Amino acid sequence: MNLADGIALARAVAVLPVIVLVATGSDTLALVVFAAAALSDAIDGPVARARDEVTARGEWLDPLADKVLIAGTLAALAARGLVPLWALVIVLGRELAAIAVRSRSPHPLPATADGKAKTVLQALAVAMTLLAADAGSAPVAATAAIVARRRRISGVSCAARSLGR
């Protein structure tokens, strides 16, 4: 395993302490761990390219790590009632669909600007939720609606690319 793949794997594994911290109400510490993990997404790709270590494993591990971090954190927030269940269902549904499309594609589907924007918006929405953990879910629902719209655009783009269009 190369350094970039290790960074992506660490991002996925970071969801475990985030879930525990959210479950115990340690929202500030959960935010710190989540933010560090989310920011690592900006590092692994450049590291792989700089070291000439871009691999097929990295191409699927990087987006999978993002999905695990976001979905796991959202599930923990939903379990505490801080995120509406419908937002979690939208995120999980889109992510499962993206995994299915990527796994069935005859060619690799590298990250696109839409997908990167979706990941950034998701991470911001989760971070804002952790910041506003005591404020209830009304501001979170508005943020989740924005993220859901962006996810739809990204999902359509991913499906079209898998068909070679």
Side-chain angles (χ1 to χ4, degrees), residues 82-84 86 124-125 128-129 131-146:
L82 298 172
V83 169
W86 63 262
L124 287 173
M128 287 172 33
T129 303
L131 278 173
D134 295 328
S137 65
V140 175
T143 303
I146 293 167

Side-chain angles (χ1 to χ4, degrees), residues 48-73:
R49 287 186 291 279
R51 297 171 58 123
D52 197 28
E53 295 179 344
V54 175
T55 64
R57 177 178 50 224
E59 286 181 352
W60 64 260
L61 182 59
D62 177 53
L64 181 61
D66 297 338
K67 291 168 183 15
V68 168
L69 179 65
I70 297 293
T73 305

Side-chain angles (χ1 to χ4, degrees), residues 38-133:
L39 288 172
S40 76
D41 190 31
I43 298 168
D44 56 359
V47 165
R49 287 186 291 279
R51 297 171 58 123
D52 197 28
E53 295 179 344
V54 175
T55 64
R57 177 178 50 224
E59 286 181 352
W60 64 260
L61 182 59
D62 177 53
L64 181 61
D66 297 338
K67 291 168 183 15
V68 168
L69 179 65
I70 297 293
T73 305
L74 278 176
L77 290 166
R80 270 193 49 206
L82 298 172
V83 169
L85 188 56
W86 63 262
L88 177 61
V89 169
I90 288 172
V91 170
L92 288 176
R94 191 276 179 193
E95 297 305 350
L96 291 172
I99 290 169
V101 166
R102 284 180 177 275
S103 69
R104 292 187 175 120
S105 176
H107 47 51
L109 297 176
T112 64
D114 283 345
K116 290 177 184 180
K118 181 255 322 167
T119 300
V120 169
L121 285 173
Q122 285 179 324
L124 287 173
V126 169
M128 287 172 33
T129 303
L130 288 167
L131 278 173

